[in-house]
Each structure stands twice: as structure tokens, then as C-alpha cells.
Amino acid sequence: MNIFLDENMPEGLTNKLSDKGHTVQSVAALNKKGIENGAVLKEAEGKFDLLFTRDAKFAQRFHDRQRPRIIHVTIHQARANAFIPIFMEHFEKTDWSRIQSGDTWPFTVPRPTTRGRAKKERT
């Protein structure tokens, strides 16, 4: 899959997703932090399958997009060393053909702990 990461996603996800065989680009790697959501979408449009963001308004505003599908990530804010393993665990379990643009993901929202393990907050 071709994946684009909004600036509010940990940059360390780039390597983890690339290691799994995905093509990954990010706002940070393009040195475009602070650009408007419309410009983020323009960077990703037609080139990427998924765009991950923690910005619910961004995902809802552009929910009708087919490519990229904009996914609102609901994993609680945490340091990258706690956030990334949770993201990757859920990423690998997800059937991405069933996820639509504007969806919140993952459906079970884990809360990272200081030791990097997750607690389920809601199901």
C-alpha cells in the first residue's frame, strides 16, 4: 500500500510501515509542517491509498475521497515508543478493504501506558 502520514503522526511510523513493504511518505519528510489540510490532501491525492491523521475534522471534511482514504487515528496521544507498537499491532490486524475515508480507526481505542503496553479504554 501507499501510505501518507499527516504531521500529527509519529515520524517513526515511516520506517515501521516501510519495513512491512509499504511505500510511505509524510508531511514531515517533505518539510511541509504547518501546511493547511487542503494542501496535505493535494500532496497525497491520487498517489496514496491511505492518509493517516489524528485530526478528526480533517478526516470528516474530506470523507468522500476515494484515494487516498483519510483515516482518523484514535489511538491516544503518547510518545512514539508507546504509540507506534499499538498502531502497528492494529494496522496488521485491519482489513483495509473494509475501511472507508473518514472512518475512525482503530475501532477499539487503546490507551498507551508508560511501559508501552496498552489498556483498552472502550470497545
Side-chain angles (χ1 to χ4, degrees):
M1 262 190 295
N2 296 325
I3 298 169
F4 197 81
L5 303 174
D6 197 2
E7 68 181 308
N8 54 26
M9 299 300 295
E11 190 60 25
L13 280 173
T14 302
N15 291 337
K16 291 292 186 182
L17 290 164
S18 293
D19 290 349
K20 297 292 181 180
H22 303 288
T23 301
V24 185
Q25 185 59 269
S26 69
V27 171
L30 295 173
N31 292 319
K32 294 192 175 189
K33 284 191 170 188
I35 65 173
E36 297 291 323
N37 290 337
V40 171
L41 184 58
K42 191 171 186 175
E43 287 288 336
E45 204 161 38
K47 300 177 245 175
F48 295 90
D49 303 305
L50 301 174
L51 187 160
F52 288 102
T53 184
R54 292 184 45 78
D55 184 342
K57 289 180 183 177
F58 179 21
Q60 289 303 311
R61 180 175 174 207
F62 297 107
H63 72 278
D64 60 340
R65 301 291 184 204
Q66 295 300 311
R67 189 159 187 229
R69 286 175 281 154
I70 303 170
I71 310 303
H72 172 221
V73 178
T74 57
I75 299 169
H76 292 277
Q77 189 70 30
R79 291 189 173 162
N81 65 344
F83 184 95
I84 292 171
I86 294 167
F87 181 98
M88 292 305 297
E89 177 185 349
H90 287 275
F91 181 87
E92 292 170 359
K93 291 178 184 177
T94 300
D95 177 357
W96 290 103
S97 67
R98 302 185 75 177
I99 305 297
Q100 298 188 26
S101 196
D103 281 355
T104 57
W105 174 88
F107 303 115
T108 302
V109 182
R111 179 181 291 280
T113 65
T114 56
R115 294 185 189 150
R117 285 184 258 151
K119 295 179 183 177
K120 287 184 183 176
E121 183 172 272
R122 63 183 168 109
T123 54

